[in-house]
Amino acid sequence: MGFLYCCLSVFVLFTASSIAQSVPPLQWIRVKTTGTTASPALAYAAAGYDALNNQLVIFGGETAGGLLEGNTHLLNLDSLTWTSPSTSTPQNPALKPPARSHSSYGHDIIASYRNGLIVYGGKGQQGALSDVWEYAFNGQFWYNLTVRGDIPSPRFGAVGGGDPPSVDNSASDLLTTFWLTGGANTANDGSYQPVEYDNIYRLQIGGTIAQNYKDATATWTRFANPSASRLNPRLAQAGMVMRTTEGSAKLGLYGGCEGDSASHATVSCAQQDAHVLSTSDSNPVWSSISKCPSARIGAVLVPTLNHLFGDMAFLVLGISPNSNTTDAARLNKRGEVDVLSLSQGTWIRVLPSCDPLSDPPCPVPREGA
């Protein structure tokens, strides 16, 4: 048996500095799962939602013992049962990506002929990776995309993800955009080398990925060089991609360990800063957001998918260095959710309701959720 925590939607009005804002998710609910092939406890895994089969897809990650995971796990959200796909086809028996953690990932949900989870790079057995894979929801198999163009260096722990267009038709030339910046690669001696945020890369995916036909293309472009506002490289930051308009997005990051300390990301070097960049600007620049939530590493920063709160992002979990502070107590016992308004550049710190039937009632702090 396994457990997942979910946030349910409750609407509450908060007022701060005469600015009224409504905030959606405010209650944690612990979900009990079953299945003989349940996912082990994992950190820094790739995850996506398969709407076609109503299931959570998890790939890779790092086990509690520090081993890299190379399996795909499926959680049916109707029965709350774990299974594993065969990931084999007549053309490519048992084809799947090599084991990895700290990959970048996002959805490619352009149409029925290309509907899946994109996974880029990550930390593999021999160091940083740069390959691109897609797990097809329709057929449940992996496909290794051949990439071309201005290919970025291998890296893991990057800020990046998919930016699927909000369309639904059968046109064959529709593209999904995937953004990438920062992260780290590995030196010959095995140490980590943080990658600067002064290059933004864009991957555009087109074509078809189906069991009986595959002609998908994937092309990298070095999209922007936002050197006007230098942002120090870091590792274990929370990162997000929020779609704004067709082919454009806002990239965001929070916390992590920066500078030389990024070669060993530990809670002692956790940062408290947040930065946002819009790819639609003629001269993209990383803009700083006011500090508010506690410093942390390994947190999660995700945009809301609720159209009523389209400019908001949620910061959850992670671990904080301030074990004796009120901030850490909130993280430890109340599952604090920090809500960022991208349009106002302000934070709202929310202590949601917990699950009275669960022990612990809220999720405990964790790195790499």
Side-chain angles (χ1 to χ4, degrees), residues 147-152 177-180 199-204 218-225:
V147 298
R148 59 193 180 192
D150 195 354
I151 301 173
T177 303
F178 187 94
W179 299 95
L180 185 76
N199 284 311
I200 309 294
Y201 288 89
R202 178 178 64 188
L203 177 68
Q204 292 190 306
T219 303
W220 283 107
T221 304
R222 192 170 69 170
F223 175 78
N225 183 5

Side-chain angles (χ1 to χ4, degrees), residues 115-171:
N115 184 1
L117 174 68
I118 307 166
V119 175
Y120 163 81
K123 183 167 64 174
Q125 300 287 2
Q126 305 301 318
L129 301 169
S130 62
D131 50 350
V132 180
W133 293 76
E134 180 157 341
Y135 179 77
F137 298 148
N138 189 356
Q140 300 189 26
F141 63 91
W142 284 101
Y143 180 67
N144 187 198
L145 284 90
T146 300
V147 298
R148 59 193 180 192
D150 195 354
I151 301 173
S153 62
R155 64 190 67 191
F156 60 89
V159 172
D163 173 23
S166 55
V167 295
D168 185 14
N169 59 49
S170 58

Side-chain angles (χ1 to χ4, degrees), residues 37-110:
T37 58
S39 169
L42 295 169
Y44 295 109
Y49 173 61
D50 172 6
L52 184 66
N53 301 293
N54 193 29
Q55 60 188 7
L56 176 68
V57 179
I58 294 179
F59 169 75
E62 186 175 307
T63 69
L67 301 178
L68 296 180
E69 172 79 0
N71 294 316
T72 306
H73 303 277
L74 308 175
L75 177 63
N76 184 291
L77 298 178
D78 292 319
S79 64
L80 298 178
T81 302
W82 289 100
T83 60
S84 294
S86 62
T87 64
S88 63
T89 66
Q91 298 82 8
N92 298 289
L95 179 69
K96 64 177 183 179
R100 69 192 65 199
S101 66
H102 296 78
S103 58
S104 300
Y105 52 91
H107 290 96
D108 181 13
I109 49 176
I110 192 72

Side-chain angles (χ1 to χ4, degrees), residues 226-264:
S227 57
S229 178
R230 184 175 177 83
L231 180 62
N232 291 331
R234 62 188 66 199
L235 193 64
Q237 77 287 339
M240 72 155 197
V241 173
M242 174 184 282
R243 183 183 186 276
T244 52
T245 58
E246 195 73 30
S248 298
K250 287 184 178 180
L251 310 183
L253 64 89
Y254 185 88
C257 289
E258 68 175 26
D260 295 337
S261 62
S263 61
H264 301 285

Side-chain angles (χ1 to χ4, degrees), residues 296-325:
R296 67 190 79 175
I297 63 171
V300 179
L301 182 64
V302 293
T304 176
L305 299 181
N306 188 322
H307 71 280
L308 298 175
F309 303 90
D311 82 321
M312 289 185 177
F314 305 136
L315 179 72
V316 296
L317 304 173
I319 54 176
S320 170
N322 306 314
S323 59
N324 297 318
T325 66

